[in-house]
Amino acid sequence: MEEEVRICTYCGETLGEYEGTTVGNDLLCDDCVDELCTTCDHCGETIWTEDCVTDDDTYLCRECFNDYYRRCENCDNIIHDDSVCWHNDLPYCCNCFDDIDYDDEIEDYNYKPEPIFYGDSYMYFGVELEVDKGGKEGENARTLKDIANHRHEHIYIKSDGSLNDGFEIVSHPMTLDYHMNTMDWESVLHEAVNMDYRSHQTDTCGLHIHVNRDAFGDNQAEQEEVIGKILFFIEKHWAEMFRFSRRSTYNMNRWATRYGLEKTSKEILEKAKSGCNGRYVAVNLNNYHTIEFRLFRGTLKHSSFIATLQMVKKICDVAFSMSEQEIDEMSWCEFVSTIEENELIQYLKERQLYINEEIFAEEEM
């Protein structure tokens, strides 16, 4: 039987029976290994130097790097997962984490933590409340978070480039009952006013409310049927919803434009799904897990804040429980006559939307 000839793939040197090192699919002599290869510091495998992941001190095969290591966001050095210091979902080595001057009370605009759901129901509401004129200081954000997060992480605070001198207060998803009776919004809003923040009294601030899509049905078809009826209700009663929103015509057109009334809810939904208006629409459907009501002006008045959440819940309930024909035949007066929530009734009266009843209203903040 003819003896197998072993040859170095790179230089062509003939190798003995037990000589040479296999690197990938190649067989190399010892000199070529010394010249062209290195050893992975994690698994000990011989790898091509040009293929390794390295810094000044560490050499890794790509598999080990991907599975066990990261690069520091600041200095680019390689760090093991067990030694990573995290900030805003970015990895840092311990030295850079200690040295970087950052304000960890206000998150970046794109920050999205894993949601924490509070309360026990099928429908949850996430709040994004923009406040302005009071500063972008981390100390102010810390004060508001200390009030809201006394026992649980209820809110976080993000920067927002559309604001002149403020930030965005964002809640984790909560049931309406939890927002009203457990989450201490009244103290948060009162303290924001004390720190000279304003929301209604600006041209920059909105109050956006997210509702989970799976509250509307078990599958996409069921959910879209309800969402279509939500859009149909808002477009049918646009004049009343515009008055409710407290927005100016200019700001509504800029930040929360309408889709326009069509003959059916399906037609409005198809227009909304086309995405031609982006996310700056009255009800934004661009999010995978939620729909976002964007038409409301910001407020630091607690009763108005709660009434807005109640209105969103009421609209969702109507769309879920009534047919399109029933919604089409229902007048605004018939709609508001079914409302029982005290805060919402009071707000509707203040806005002259409750069976033409006008009462004294406290100033919006």
Side-chain angles (χ1 to χ4, degrees):
M1 182 175 177
E2 187 174 335
E3 184 176 342
E4 178 186 3
V5 178
R6 295 166 56 83
I7 299 175
C8 174
T9 304
Y10 190 79
C11 70
E13 179 183 339
T14 301
L15 304 174
E17 182 178 359
Y18 300 106
E19 293 180 330
T21 301
T22 300
V23 183
N25 296 322
D26 298 313
L27 179 65
L28 301 183
C29 66
D30 292 344
D31 289 341
C32 287
V33 167
D34 291 341
E35 179 183 353
L36 303 172
C37 299
T38 188
T39 301
C40 173
D41 290 332
H42 187 91
C43 68
E45 289 291 323
T46 301
I47 54 177
W48 295 100
T49 301
E50 65 180 16
D51 289 338
C52 78
V53 182
T54 183
D55 56 15
D56 292 338
D57 302 309
T58 306
Y59 296 86
L60 299 169
C61 66
R62 294 189 181 277
E63 289 79 7
C64 287
F65 175 80
N66 292 334
D67 290 343
Y68 303 105
Y69 294 82
R70 300 173 190 271
R71 285 193 182 274
C72 173
E73 190 70 16
N74 184 59
C75 69
D76 208 39
N77 282 342
I78 294 172
I79 38 178
H80 193 279
D81 282 348
D82 292 342
S83 301
V84 169
C85 298
W86 291 96
H87 176 65
N88 286 348
D89 292 333
L90 297 175
Y92 291 87
C93 68
C94 293
N95 289 336
C96 290
F97 185 81
D98 291 337
D99 292 343
I100 293 175
D101 182 19
Y102 55 85
D103 189 343
D104 60 359
E105 304 301 339
I106 302 177
E107 310 291 350
D108 294 335
Y109 177 74
N110 293 321
Y111 175 72
K112 289 186 178 180
E114 189 71 22
I116 306 170
F117 291 83
Y118 293 99
D120 184 14
S121 183
Y122 67 97
M123 190 177 295
Y124 293 85
F125 303 87
V127 168
E128 296 172 352
L129 173 62
E130 296 167 337
V131 298
D132 213 342
K133 297 187 176 182
K136 299 182 179 182
E137 288 77 13
E139 182 179 352
N140 292 350
R142 176 76 267 171
T143 298
L144 297 178
K145 289 198 292 185
D146 283 344
I147 295 171
N149 300 344
H150 179 60
R151 294 178 180 173
H152 303 283
E153 184 187 331
H154 289 137
I155 68 169
Y156 51 96
I157 292 179
K158 304 196 307 182
S159 61
D160 190 325
S162 67
L163 304 176
N164 297 322
D165 199 23
F167 42 64
E168 185 176 59
I169 303 170
V170 185
S171 82
H172 284 278
M174 306 172 186
T175 64
L176 177 60
D177 178 74
Y178 198 98
H179 275 292
M180 293 176 59
N181 299 312
T182 303
M183 169 63 194
D184 192 6
W185 279 114
E186 187 167 13
S187 295
V188 171
L189 303 183
H190 180 74
E191 183 59 31
V193 172
N194 287 343
M195 291 191 292
D196 294 324
Y197 287 100
R198 294 295 182 267
S199 193
H200 175 88
Q201 295 176 0
T202 72
D203 294 323
T204 55
C205 295
L207 169 57
H208 306 159
I209 298 175
H210 289 258
V211 184
N212 54 307
R213 286 176 178 260
D214 57 14
F216 305 134
D218 296 328
N219 55 59
Q220 184 176 355
E222 291 179 356
Q223 293 167 15
E224 289 194 348
E225 181 181 358
V226 177
I227 293 169
K229 288 186 287 185
I230 289 172
L231 301 181
F232 187 79
F233 176 93
I234 290 175
E235 292 296 341
K236 180 178 185 294
H237 298 292
W238 183 258
E240 291 85 1
M241 293 304 302
F242 178 74
R243 180 184 287 272
F244 187 100
S245 76
R246 292 172 288 103
R247 283 193 184 271
S248 67
T249 300
Y250 171 80
N251 278 335
M252 185 69 86
N253 290 336
R254 181 180 181 186
W255 302 111
T257 187
R258 64 184 298 188
Y259 292 112
L261 183 61
E262 301 291 343
K263 293 180 180 179
T264 67
S265 60
K266 185 176 181 180
E267 289 177 306
I268 300 177
L269 179 63
E270 289 305 313
K271 184 188 291 186
K273 289 168 63 177
S274 70
C276 57
N277 292 318
R279 63 189 178 94
Y280 298 112
V281 288
V283 182
N284 171 30
L285 306 185
N286 287 341
N287 301 300
Y288 183 76
H289 294 292
T290 67
I291 66 171
E292 179 190 16
F293 290 75
R294 293 180 54 90
L295 65 161
F296 309 112
R297 190 169 183 166
T299 183
L300 293 175
K301 183 178 174 182
H302 182 250
S303 60
S304 296
F305 178 88
I306 294 300
T308 304
L309 284 166
Q310 292 172 340
M311 175 58 91
V312 171
K313 175 67 161 58
K314 185 67 176 178
I315 293 172
C316 292
D317 287 344
V318 164
F320 187 82
S321 62
M322 298 178 67
S323 69
E324 181 178 318
Q325 181 177 346
E326 289 172 326
I327 294 173
D328 192 27
E329 294 173 352
M330 180 178 59
S331 69
W332 180 263
C333 287
E334 289 171 332
F335 168 69
V336 298
S337 68
T338 65
I339 294 173
E340 298 178 349
E341 294 80 5
N342 292 331
E343 294 87 353
L344 181 51
I345 291 174
Q346 173 72 15
Y347 181 85
L348 289 168
K349 289 180 178 180
E350 292 175 2
R351 304 300 298 170
Q352 300 179 42
L353 288 168
Y354 190 79
I355 317 177
N356 297 323
E357 183 172 353
E358 183 177 356
I359 65 170
F360 172 76
E362 293 181 6
E363 183 183 20
E364 290 282 352
M365 303 299 283

